[in-house]
Amino acid sequence: MRFPAFHRRPVPSMRFRRVVARSRRALAGAAASCASLLVVPALGAALAQAADPAYKKTALVRFDSTLELAKPAADVWQKLCSAEGFCALGGFKTKAKAKRLEHVGDTVAASVWQDNGVLVCTMAVPGKELRVSWEPENGSYLCHKQVKLEATASGSTRLTFVDRYSDDKLDTVDATAKLVAAETTKALAAFKMLVEGK
């Protein structure tokens, strides 16, 4: 049975389909433009209210030290990674002497001068290199220590110690550095005594 012609659904022509597609694209573009018009003023208002970030000049102080130890590198490494050993080398004090800093993320609560904080292991290559950051509770400065061990032909170990810290008080940087240098000399001697047992 055939339905009358007026019951049949007309098939859109290709031209009609193209016109509809163009219309849809135009509407989508208009919607995107309206959205951007709404976002840009809001972003501009937020930027107008935000203050420029403040900056402050600071000094980065670095000390390089070398220490000869009459022990194999493996023995030095064991002492270095102990909280007691690292604190002796770095001039820190800690009550957690049994803890260790030999894996990334290891922490030890410690203090230096008047500051309390946490020592954090940031890199450890067994027997070769240890990096530790000092995080003071007040976060007022940055401090990072790098220790490298090198076995010598005689069976002893050469330790290289790099100490870096920031200092915002530019007028007293040199005076503070001299104090740190004196403390570092004492700390190196203390670590040598701890490792060699003398």
Side-chain angles (χ1 to χ4, degrees), residues 123-191:
M123 179 176 173
V125 180
K128 294 184 178 180
E129 183 175 354
L130 181 67
R131 299 182 193 178
V132 176
S133 287
W134 164 244
E135 292 292 340
E137 284 183 353
N138 59 17
S140 60
Y141 59 93
L142 306 175
C143 183
H144 185 265
K145 302 180 186 294
Q146 179 185 34
V147 185
K148 290 184 178 181
L149 303 181
E150 179 185 356
T152 66
S154 63
S156 63
T157 303
R158 181 176 296 106
L159 181 149
T160 302
F161 181 46
V162 179
D163 185 9
R164 303 179 185 89
Y165 66 88
S166 64
D167 192 342
D168 292 339
K169 299 177 181 178
L170 300 181
D171 54 336
T172 58
V173 168
D174 292 336
T176 302
K178 289 179 181 178
L179 292 175
V180 174
E183 292 295 323
T184 300
T185 300
K186 294 178 183 178
L188 290 169
F191 183 73

Side-chain angles (χ1 to χ4, degrees), residues 62-119:
R62 170 173 172 155
F63 291 95
D64 292 81
S65 306
T66 302
L67 187 64
E68 297 291 333
L69 299 163
K71 288 288 183 178
D75 294 350
V76 177
W77 179 259
Q78 287 301 314
K79 287 291 186 181
L80 174 64
C81 292
S82 68
E84 179 184 17
F86 189 86
C87 286
L89 179 63
F92 296 94
K93 295 180 180 179
T94 183
K95 295 179 180 179
K97 294 184 178 181
K99 295 193 71 175
R100 297 187 64 77
L101 292 164
E102 57 187 340
H103 300 102
V104 174
D106 286 350
T107 61
V108 171
S111 63
V112 61
W113 293 6
Q114 292 81 34
D115 297 329
N116 294 318
V118 179
L119 292 165

Side-chain angles (χ1 to χ4, degrees), residues 14-43:
M14 288 300 297
R15 182 179 180 184
F16 179 77
R17 290 178 184 177
R18 292 194 190 97
V19 171
V20 171
R22 282 198 296 270
S23 300
R24 287 177 178 172
R25 287 195 293 270
L27 288 172
S33 298
C34 290
S36 64
L37 289 174
L38 293 174
V39 171
V40 170
L43 180 60

